[in-house]
DNA sequence: CGAGGTGTTGAGAACCATCAATTGCCGTGG
DNA sequence: CCACGGCAATTGATGGTTCTCAACACCTCG
């Protein structure tokens, strides 16, 4: 049961005793498969479960009445999805599959048992939710105050940093998002995403080859957008029962 | 001790037994006063406490190296500030006082005891953090995908909705933020905030008088920006020991 | 009275959006 | 096999929203 969907994600950051893991493992339902662009749950519908991404990319977005779209988070394997809806009865955004993928649902009402019986896990979930919040402020900084090229630099660096958690040595990555989706994430049109990507390429900052992206000058790009890696480190020193491992950073 | 800073805020949403309140009350330190535009804590410095706002307005922001600023949250009396930094050792944004005000610090490491001894309070804090996240996605939608006037409509409606929690009948409110700060929140310049406010006034949607703002046509403005009130309702049905009060909404 | 902060207004420019046309790619079906 | 349609990316022309820069009025406070 230690092979639950959450295990690989959470054990990256913190040691959790077997009893707590037992609780988590028993809470996970059977997994669900989705094909690319399938809608997992629509905005406004009942949101009574969290999901753990087992494979594939997902993202969630909100729409304005006239069709303008804002993508608010992109989710990768190991991510926990749906924190934003815990405070409300109905989903605050629409969740779709960006590629084929598999989710493990986790009924929201089971969180009760996590909070009463596994405080260390509850604290970790809390921390993950709060980390999402920091990522949102980074994205807000980009959409609110950056030029198109700076936005793209941020967008690519953020994806790169996230993917390095599981693949520290990958120098390039495949982007299963089209340019309209990229634009809807950082507040641009698909047309200007294209033009700005070409510009970044001509500056020698990135290169593209059959849909794969390589970041050629990470330092220049990080300076462009004041980038900060939120993934390689998290502070779990305040966790219950954590006196002996005050700060757990990246993968050992 | 029931008169702690957190009490009025949290009791709005949920009943919590006296033992849990005792724990919370004992955790709160002495309060701290700040005068307008004072810096509470700088980005990058150690973030080992949460704050509860007792009085006044505060906001937190991030800066780009060249001075561009993005305000990421505005905080009012009763709000809990600092969730975003729980996941990291150092503060992810700079917190300043928008007006004179008072904060109650709450050492982060005391959260241990909340998670182990007061799971219902832990769940509520979790929910509040997650609600902040939803507010951030609303702001992201505004900065990323709205026109200047729509952004301002959102900004004013959001403040109005928040202030109505404590003052349900107020039809106008005072804004202790200058137009540069408004612009830094929704991604505009101070100049364009001024022009857009004048435009909203000429449309008959809002009126201003000695710094007070009145929303004249809330329905029109809500339609403009697809506004949703995140403050009047929260779902606490999944809380530990909450079987008997599944959904607690606004103030009774 | 002068200084600084704030809001307003105008002219011009810059950045990005919109619209439209073209290309390439892929899967489908004739 | 080829024709066809659809999706995605690119490119160019044009226009609009917003920014920048500047000047001015107003208020408060020293």
């Amino acid at each position: 049961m230690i092979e639950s969907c959450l295990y690989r994600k959470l054990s990256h950051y913190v040691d959790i005793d077997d009893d707590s893991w037992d609780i988590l493992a028993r809470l996970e339902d059977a997994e669900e498969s989705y094909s690319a662009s399938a809608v997992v749950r629509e905005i406004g519908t009942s949101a009574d479960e969290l999901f753990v991404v087992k494979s594939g990319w997902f993202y969630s977005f909100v729409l304005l009445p006239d069709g303008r779209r804002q993508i608010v988070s992109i989710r990768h394997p190991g991510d926990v999805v749906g924190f934003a809806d815990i405070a409300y009865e109905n989903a605050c955004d629409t969740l779709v599959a960006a590629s084929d993928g598999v989710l493990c649902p986790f009924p929201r009402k089971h969180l009760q048992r996590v909070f009463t019986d596994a405080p260390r896990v509850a604290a970790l979930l809390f921390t993950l939710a709060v980390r999402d919040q920091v990522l949102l402020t980074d994205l807000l900084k980009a959409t609110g105050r950056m030029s198109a090229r700076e936005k793209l630099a941020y967008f690519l660096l953020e994806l790169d940093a996230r993917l390095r958690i599981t693949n520290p040595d990958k120098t390039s990555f495949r982007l299963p998002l089209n340019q309209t989706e990229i634009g809807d994430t950082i507040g641009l049109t698909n047309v200007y995403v294209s033009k700005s990507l070409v510009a970044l390429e001509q500056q020698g900052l990135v290169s593209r080859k059959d849909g794969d992206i390589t970041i050629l000058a990470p330092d220049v790009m990080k300076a462009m957008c004041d980038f900060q890696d939120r993934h390689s480190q998290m502070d779990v020193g305040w966790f219950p029962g954590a006196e002996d491992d005050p700060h757990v950073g990246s993968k050992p």
Side-chain angles (χ1 to χ4, degrees), chain A residues 49-185:
Chain A
E49 34 193 24
L50 299 175
F51 300 95
V52 184
V53 179
K54 189 169 185 185
S55 66
W57 288 34
F58 294 77
Y59 63 85
S60 58
F61 63 86
V62 291
L63 283 176
L64 286 170
D66 65 357
R68 284 174 289 180
R69 178 173 68 164
Q70 176 68 49
I71 293 177
V72 298
S73 69
I74 299 173
R75 302 301 185 164
H76 302 247
D79 283 352
V80 179
V81 185
F83 286 129
D85 310 308
I86 285 181
Y88 299 96
E89 225 178 319
N90 297 317
C92 296
D93 51 29
T94 298
L95 179 64
V96 303
S99 64
D100 294 349
V102 176
L103 295 180
C104 301
F106 182 100
R108 179 170 66 162
K109 65 176 190 291
H110 290 178
L111 279 176
Q112 283 188 15
R113 295 199 43 212
V114 174
F115 274 83
T116 52
D117 300 345
R120 202 161 157 74
V121 175
L124 183 52
L125 287 175
F126 188 39
T127 303
L128 289 177
V130 142
R131 199 259 307 269
D132 280 355
Q133 188 170 328
V134 175
L135 292 175
L136 267 178
T137 68
D138 288 341
L139 181 55
L140 183 63
K141 175 171 88 168
T143 57
R145 285 303 185 214
M146 287 185 197
S147 71
R149 262 180 272 186
E150 291 164 345
K151 287 178 179 185
L152 266 171
Y154 161 76
F155 178 81
L156 296 174
L157 289 170
E158 166 61 22
L159 283 181
D160 183 60
R162 189 182 296 212
L163 296 173
R164 273 176 198 279
I165 297 181
T166 44
N167 280 49
D169 308 319
K170 270 250 176 200
T171 59
S172 67
F173 56 91
R174 165 159 290 274
L175 229 186
L177 301 173
N178 64 37
Q179 294 181 348
T180 299
E181 291 166 324
I182 296 174
D184 286 342
T185 305

Side-chain angles (χ1 to χ4, degrees), chain A residues 153 157 200 203-207 214-224:
Chain A
L157 289 170
L200 286 184
Q203 283 188 301
L205 300 178
V206 306
S207 75
T214 307
I215 295 178
L216 298 176
D219 293 341
V220 177
M221 288 174 63
K222 285 177 186 176
M224 276 177 66

